[in-house]
Amino acid sequence: MSKTIFRLGAWTLALAMAGCTLAPRYERPALPVAAQYPAGDSVPARDAVELGWREMFTDARLQALIAAALENNRDLRTAVLNAERAQALYRVQRAGQLPQIDAQGSLTRGRTPADLSATGAAVTGSEYQVGLGITAFELDLFGRVRSLKDAALAEYLATAEARDAARIALIAEVAKAWLADLALREQMDLARKTLEARSEALTLARQRYEAGASSALDLKLVETLVESARVAVATLTRRSAQAGNALSLVVGAPVARGEDASLLSDQQFVADLPAGLPSQLLAQRPDLRAAELRLQSANASIGAARAAFFPRISLTAGIGSASPELSELFEAGSRSWSFVPQITLPIFDAGRNRANLRVSQVDRDLAVAGYERSIQAAFREVADALAARGSFEEQVEAQERLRQGQADRLQLAEQRYKAGIASYLDVLDAQRELFDAEQDLVEARQQRLLNLVDLYRALGGGLRERGTGA
């Protein structure tokens, strides 16, 4: 009899594993964007996905911050835990394709009163049982369990891709926070130097006013510039402290901010990143791969909803030994077995199955719309970064020339003032224009570097630590 049960179990398992699936055939939606970027190019350089973030960002302190963020950032840690949870859920669904075998043991004692006993006397008896059993194992003839497993697998893979997308976004956010901190500290340093210079000029202006060599208007103008510089210092000090807090938050640990901060002009990021074609983003960006996997999961869920319209067959079976005495439990003749097949055929459910099928179909359509929206957003991010790349280079160069022109103008104004052929108002105006040009130059350099970070992230760079390994 044991051979019969074994053959029956093997036959049952074969039927379950050979079950078909009613999920519709998956087809990737067409790209809802143009075939090429508006400002695309063919720079002969390495793809962003092959460029390690340590090669992209060469500053040792920035590299240390990125490494610390990858270790400590809570958002990334949450993404990793979500991936682990999705993996465990997939294992749960996958286990449903195989029967669960349990060891069972029981003791039953009972008393039959005399008026119900066949012997006319009260009977007290015991029954011992031990064995192996399969409880309610579903024969997956129509692929319901398989579709649920496929949907769970796609969800797990999508969550893993989302984890990689979070890693890329985190690296970019650290770089941006670092650049913001550098820019504000550089601007604050310029404001402090300007405040010192204007304070010295105010001392001289007061001496000239007290000596009758200048008017009260000139003195008030100098005082106005001093207060303006003091306002700039206070504002930039506050913003710099907030930038440091933001950097600590994204890193996930306190960040020591020394006085020897690098200048934006010292930062050298890789600029020759080839854009490729929009279709390549599907393989380069994990967030797009995650969106497509969620679409595949929704597609598989339709198969499970369709299978609910068909009969569901489940099996419960067991083999073991039973005896009224514990000492006789494993003796000859004590073997027992059971085989209980059960079939459930939906007849009337008030439209529940049809509604569930419609829900799964709408979920699939929503996933298609989300996937296409993700592609369009990715296309715009790359296109915007490409469009800005050349213009930022020109802007920085023009701003450097403007700053130098304002410096020359201030020098000439001071010479003319000392020669008595120009008023002090011209000097003050030149000082103000030079300060604004210096601040704008720092901001232009920051925007140029931020654009490179955005392009690197938009093209899917940041998963690799080095160019030759993950």
Side-chain angles (χ1 to χ4, degrees), residues 37 39 89 98 109 194 302 316 333 381 416 441-442 468:
Y37 299 109
L89 290 175
L98 298 175
R109 288 185 60 84
T194 300
I302 295 178
T316 300
E381 289 173 356
R416 289 170 56 84
L441 177 58
V442 173
T468 57

Side-chain angles (χ1 to χ4, degrees), residues 367-421:
V368 170
Y371 175 62
E372 294 176 341
R373 179 66 178 83
S374 299
I375 294 176
Q376 291 174 336
F379 178 90
R380 179 187 174 181
E381 289 173 356
V382 176
D384 286 349
L386 290 174
R389 181 166 58 177
S391 63
F392 274 125
E393 294 290 344
E394 296 177 359
Q395 180 179 347
V396 170
E397 293 176 359
Q399 193 66 41
E400 288 175 344
R401 292 192 296 268
L402 175 60
R403 186 264 174 204
Q404 186 59 47
Q406 294 294 350
D408 295 341
R409 175 191 172 191
L410 175 58
Q411 184 178 4
L412 292 175
E414 289 176 341
Q415 292 175 356
R416 289 170 56 84
Y417 173 72
K418 292 177 180 179
I421 58 176

Side-chain angles (χ1 to χ4, degrees), residues 19-46:
C20 61
T21 177
L22 299 179
R25 181 179 178 182
Y26 172 75
E27 294 183 2
R28 174 182 288 177
L31 287 178
V33 294
Q36 293 183 343
Y37 299 109
D41 51 30
S42 57
V43 179
R46 295 167 57 188

Side-chain angles (χ1 to χ4, degrees), residues 46-339:
R46 295 167 57 188
D47 290 340
V49 292
E50 298 296 329
L51 183 66
W53 58 263
R54 290 187 182 274
E55 293 178 297
M56 178 66 182
F57 309 116
T58 58
D59 190 287
R61 280 164 291 189
L62 176 55
Q63 291 178 353
L65 290 175
I66 293 176
L70 294 175
E71 182 68 24
N72 300 316
N73 183 267
R74 271 53 176 185
D75 290 335
L76 181 60
R77 189 176 300 176
T78 300
V80 172
L81 292 175
N82 284 334
E84 293 179 0
R85 180 179 183 274
Q87 183 183 33
L89 290 175
Y90 161 64
R91 289 175 177 173
V92 171
Q93 291 293 344
R94 184 180 62 180
Q97 291 189 296
L98 298 175
Q100 178 178 338
I101 301 176
D102 299 317
Q104 302 170 349
S106 65
L107 166 62
T108 303
R109 288 185 60 84
R111 180 181 182 277
T112 303
D115 55 350
L116 296 179
S117 173
T119 62
V123 178
T124 300
S126 302
E127 181 181 354
Y128 296 87
Q129 290 186 348
V130 66
L132 299 177
I134 299 174
T135 304
F137 171 62
E138 181 177 346
L139 294 180
D140 198 24
L141 301 179
F142 301 99
R144 191 186 75 89
V145 178
R146 179 182 173 184
S147 295
L148 291 175
K149 185 266 296 183
D150 292 342
L153 175 60
E155 283 292 341
Y156 158 56
L157 296 177
T159 309
E161 294 290 354
R163 174 200 60 201
D164 292 341
R167 176 186 172 93
I168 290 176
L170 175 60
I171 291 174
E173 286 303 314
V174 173
K176 287 183 176 182
W178 163 261
L179 292 175
D181 185 54
L182 290 186
L184 286 170
R185 294 172 70 179
E186 189 171 342
Q187 288 179 322
M188 184 172 61
D189 184 60
L190 289 172
R192 286 174 175 172
K193 292 179 179 179
T194 300
L195 177 59
E196 292 176 1
R198 291 181 181 179
S199 297
E200 294 176 359
L202 178 58
T203 301
L204 296 176
R206 284 174 177 164
Q207 294 175 354
R208 289 175 57 83
Y209 172 73
E210 292 173 355
S214 64
S215 65
L217 177 61
D218 290 341
L219 178 60
K220 289 298 180 182
L221 287 174
V222 178
E223 290 176 347
T224 301
L225 286 181
V226 170
E227 296 305 322
S228 175
R230 186 171 284 112
V231 169
V233 170
T235 301
L236 292 170
T237 300
R238 179 181 67 253
R239 292 177 58 192
S240 179
Q242 293 172 343
N245 296 334
L247 183 59
S248 296
L249 176 62
V250 72
V251 170
V255 176
R257 304 170 70 200
E259 296 298 330
D260 56 341
S262 302
L263 298 176
L264 289 175
S265 56
D266 298 332
Q267 300 298 312
Q268 300 295 327
F269 295 171
V270 176
D272 54 345
L273 295 174
L277 298 175
S279 59
Q280 293 175 304
L281 282 181
L282 301 182
Q284 292 175 342
R285 288 188 42 156
D287 59 329
L288 298 185
R289 295 196 298 266
E292 184 174 9
L293 285 166
R294 292 191 179 94
L295 172 57
Q296 294 176 6
S297 176
N299 195 72
S301 296
I302 295 178
R306 287 177 174 175
F309 287 89
F310 295 88
R312 185 182 302 178
I313 301 175
S314 61
L315 301 178
T316 300
I319 183 172
S321 180
S323 173
E325 298 293 337
L326 181 61
S327 59
E328 300 175 357
L329 188 59
F330 296 102
E331 292 184 357
S334 64
R335 182 173 301 169
S336 65
W337 62 271
S338 64
F339 178 66

